[in-house]
């Protein structure tokens, strides 16, 4: 059934019908880009009907006097296939080795990592509109929206190999229960588990914050593992905490990795990736040329940070800003002000001290600045040709929320290696 037909009659006179029409248009646009990216691998059939509908709407808007048929729209859709990849910075590999889906996709850290080792992404979802803009700019594909909605799940194709998800951490209500699939209802992990149950991928690759291990006194992780092992039928080795610093980026970023393999594959052993020998330092990712004065702290702001740190130090606390030496390692980049304030640095290359933002005092002369979004991108392992198409504020948020690409890639290599065995 076409998306517009899914709107219920009782909503016709309400505001919700306009919102749902907009949502329907967004879904069709996502289906259109997914169709273009999957026209050669058989997955396109999951997206074709709404892709044709989207093109039909485009043609009707451009040619209001003409009657646009599905046949005309299908021909136009084939025309798009010749041109859509001309300006995609990170296209999929020409000869993919496996297929995966990208849930809670953010700006595509999982996708970039798995494409680098020969993976083909056949479905992606992300609800944040700014992250979707960055994702589209770099991969030429618009993620579907809210994965908790049945309509979003209905677009997920069959027969993909790996499910990837960096889902948010939520507590489960498991008091007096066995801590399995049913106990995850109302959480985002439930939606992941529901997809696994229905699509049965060969492997599952989940990433979360280090604190998941102790979250809700360990009950949250216990429920996740019980669900995967007992209810969904996957071999799941004991999860491991991986530090991105051990895989080529100068950032202390510890995340828990959970991997699972469908029981019928007969896999009973998995080796987590080993740290590489390279020990990166901050100067490896810093800008070589002078950066804008907007990244330098004002005197007033710097004094505020110093006073704040001094107050905590007097109480025996270690809170406050931190200046990372060039030979050092950055703290974990996170969204929010402290992610930047705990990763300040000295940079004396500034020659123009005239403020270009509305600060209320002079630019500091100590050379103290925050890192640029591009430097944060490098800390997360994104290449320099990864496009930043949003404001700095959004870019900090996106890179802070992202996965560290090299660590994800090292883990994905091990998953693929295990599947091949």
């Amino acid at each position: 059934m076409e998306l517009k037909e899914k709107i219920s009659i009782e909503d016709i006179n309400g505001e919700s019908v306009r919102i749902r029409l907009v949502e329907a248009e967004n879904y069709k646009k996502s289906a259109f880009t997914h169709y273009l990216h999957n026209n050669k691998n058989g997955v396109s059939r999951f997206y074709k009907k709404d892709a044709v509908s989207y093109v039909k709407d485009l043609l009707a808007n451009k040619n209001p006097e003409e009657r646009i048929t599905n046949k005309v729209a299908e021909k136009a859709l084939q025309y798009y296939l010749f041109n859509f990849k001309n300006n995609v910075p990170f296209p999929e590999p020409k000869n993919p080795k496996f297929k995966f889906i990208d849930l809670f996709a953010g700006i595509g850290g999982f996708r970039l990592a798995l494409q680098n080792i020969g993976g083909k992404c056949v479905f992606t979802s992300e609800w944040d509109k700014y992250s979707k803009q960055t994702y589209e700019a770099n991969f030429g594909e618009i993620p579907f929206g809210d994965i908790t909605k049945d309509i979003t799940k209905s677009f997920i194709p069959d027969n993909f190999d790996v499910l990837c998800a960096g889902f948010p951490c939520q507590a489960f209500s498991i008091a007096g229960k066995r801590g399995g699939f049913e106990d995850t209802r109302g959480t985002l992990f439930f939606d992941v588990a529901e997809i696994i149950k229905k699509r049965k991928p060969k492997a599952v690759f989940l990433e979360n914050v280090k604190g998941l291990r102790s979250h809700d006194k360990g009950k949250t992780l216990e429920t996740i593992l019980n669900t995967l092992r007992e209810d969904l039928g996957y071999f799941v080795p004991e999860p491991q905490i991986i530090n991105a610093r051990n895989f080529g980026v100068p950032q202390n970023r510890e995340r828990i990795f959970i991997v699972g393999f469908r029981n019928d594959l007969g896999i009973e052993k998995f080796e987590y990736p080993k740290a590489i020998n390279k020990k990166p330092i901050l100067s490896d990712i810093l800008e070589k040329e002078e950066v804008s004065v907007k990244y330098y702290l004002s005197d007033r702001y710097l004094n505020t940070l110093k006073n704040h740190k001094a107050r905590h130090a007097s109480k025996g606390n270690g809170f406050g800003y931190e200046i990372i030496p060039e030979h050092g390692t950055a703290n974990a980049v996170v969204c929010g002000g402290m992610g930047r304030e705990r990763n300040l640095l000295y940079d004396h290359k500034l020659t123009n001290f005239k403020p270009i933002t509305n600060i209320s005092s002079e630019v500091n002369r100590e050379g103290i600045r925050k890192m640029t979004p591009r430097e944060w991108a490098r800390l997360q392992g994104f290449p320099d040709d990864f496009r930043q198409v949003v404001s700095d504020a959004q870019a900090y948020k996106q890179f802070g929320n992202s996965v560290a690409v090299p660590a994800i890639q090292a883990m994905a290599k091990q998953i693929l290696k295990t599947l091949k065995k």
Side-chain angles (χ1 to χ4, degrees), residues 103-104 146-150 153 156 163 170 181 184-197:
L103 308 180
F104 309 99
D146 189 350
I147 197 61
T148 66
K149 294 184 176 181
D150 289 338
K153 295 189 185 86
I156 300 175
L163 177 147
Q170 295 168 288
F181 182 79
T184 69
R185 287 187 180 276
T187 69
L188 291 169
F189 177 74
F190 173 78
D191 296 285
V192 175
E194 193 176 38
I195 293 166
I196 295 170
K197 186 176 184 179

Side-chain angles (χ1 to χ4, degrees), residues 265-310:
L265 298 177
I267 295 170
E268 297 178 346
K269 183 180 179 182
F270 177 75
E271 292 185 9
Y272 283 90
K274 292 180 172 57
I276 64 175
N277 292 326
K278 180 184 177 184
K279 298 301 178 185
I281 57 177
L282 189 67
S283 61
D284 294 336
I285 61 92
L286 296 181
E287 297 285 1
K288 306 305 179 188
E289 305 298 327
E290 178 180 344
V291 304
S292 170
V293 66
K294 70 179 179 179
Y295 297 111
Y296 284 77
L297 277 57
S298 70
D299 280 329
R300 178 171 293 182
Y301 183 41
L302 183 56
N303 285 333
T304 298
L305 292 179
K306 288 179 177 179
N307 292 334
H308 177 264
K309 187 169 185 174

Side-chain angles (χ1 to χ4, degrees), residues 19-239:
I19 295 171
R20 294 179 72 177
L21 279 168
V22 170
E23 287 182 346
E25 191 64 24
N26 289 338
Y27 275 106
K28 286 197 289 187
K29 193 172 183 181
S30 294
F32 168 68
T33 58
H34 277 68
Y35 175 86
L36 296 180
H37 277 267
N38 291 282
N39 67 299
K40 293 182 179 180
N41 61 9
V43 177
S44 59
R45 69 183 187 277
F46 289 91
Y47 309 118
K48 184 174 181 179
K49 180 179 286 188
D50 290 295
V52 170
S53 181
Y54 176 74
V55 173
K56 189 175 179 180
D57 290 346
L58 283 180
L59 295 175
N61 289 333
K62 290 181 179 179
N63 307 281
E65 303 301 321
E66 295 184 25
R67 179 176 175 272
I68 307 298
T69 64
N70 282 347
K71 192 171 184 179
V72 170
E74 282 196 41
K75 285 185 177 180
L77 184 58
Q78 299 310 306
Y79 170 78
Y80 281 106
L81 290 173
F82 290 105
N83 300 301
F84 82 101
K85 290 184 181 178
N86 291 346
N87 198 31
V88 176
F90 300 99
E92 74 273 12
K94 291 183 179 180
N95 298 300
K97 300 174 184 176
F98 64 99
K99 292 183 284 190
F100 67 95
I101 68 170
D102 191 8
L103 308 180
F104 309 99
I107 57 175
F110 264 105
R111 179 166 183 155
L112 191 59
L114 272 71
Q115 281 190 177
N116 286 344
I117 62 169
K120 171 73 179 83
C121 186
V122 295
F123 173 87
T124 183
S125 73
E126 167 58 44
W127 69 272
D128 182 77
K129 68 176 183 179
Y130 297 109
S131 294
K132 290 171 83 167
Q133 290 172 13
T134 300
Y135 199 102
E136 180 185 10
N138 286 283
F139 300 104
E141 194 167 75
I142 301 172
F144 287 92
D146 189 350
I147 197 61
T148 66
K149 294 184 176 181
D150 289 338
I151 188 172
T152 305
K153 295 189 185 86
S154 72
F155 283 98
I156 300 175
D158 297 319
N159 301 320
F160 58 89
D161 301 295
V162 185
L163 177 147
C164 302
F167 65 99
C169 180
Q170 295 168 288
F172 304 131
S173 299
I174 60 173
K177 301 179 182 179
R178 68 188 183 89
F181 182 79
E182 293 301 321
D183 302 325
T184 69
R185 287 187 180 276
T187 69
L188 291 169
F189 177 74
F190 173 78
D191 296 285
V192 175
E194 193 176 38
I195 293 166
I196 295 170
K197 186 176 184 179
K198 186 172 183 179
R199 305 298 180 186
K200 296 180 173 57
K202 293 177 183 176
V204 175
F205 180 9
L206 309 179
E207 182 262 8
N208 214 300
V209 294
K210 176 184 176 182
L212 177 64
R213 178 168 280 179
S214 57
H215 193 260
D216 196 18
K217 299 179 180 178
K219 294 177 182 177
T220 301
L221 181 58
E222 179 186 359
T223 303
I224 290 171
L225 296 180
N226 283 345
T227 300
L228 293 170
R229 290 167 176 165
E230 305 300 328
D231 295 348
L232 301 179
Y234 281 73
F235 161 68
V236 182
E238 191 62 26

Side-chain angles (χ1 to χ4, degrees), residues 252-269:
N252 275 314
R253 188 180 193 84
E254 294 182 303
R255 291 293 185 269
I256 190 168
F257 285 178
I258 304 171
V259 62
F261 299 92
R262 207 174 60 214
N263 280 342
D264 66 317
L265 298 177
I267 295 170
E268 297 178 346
K269 183 180 179 182

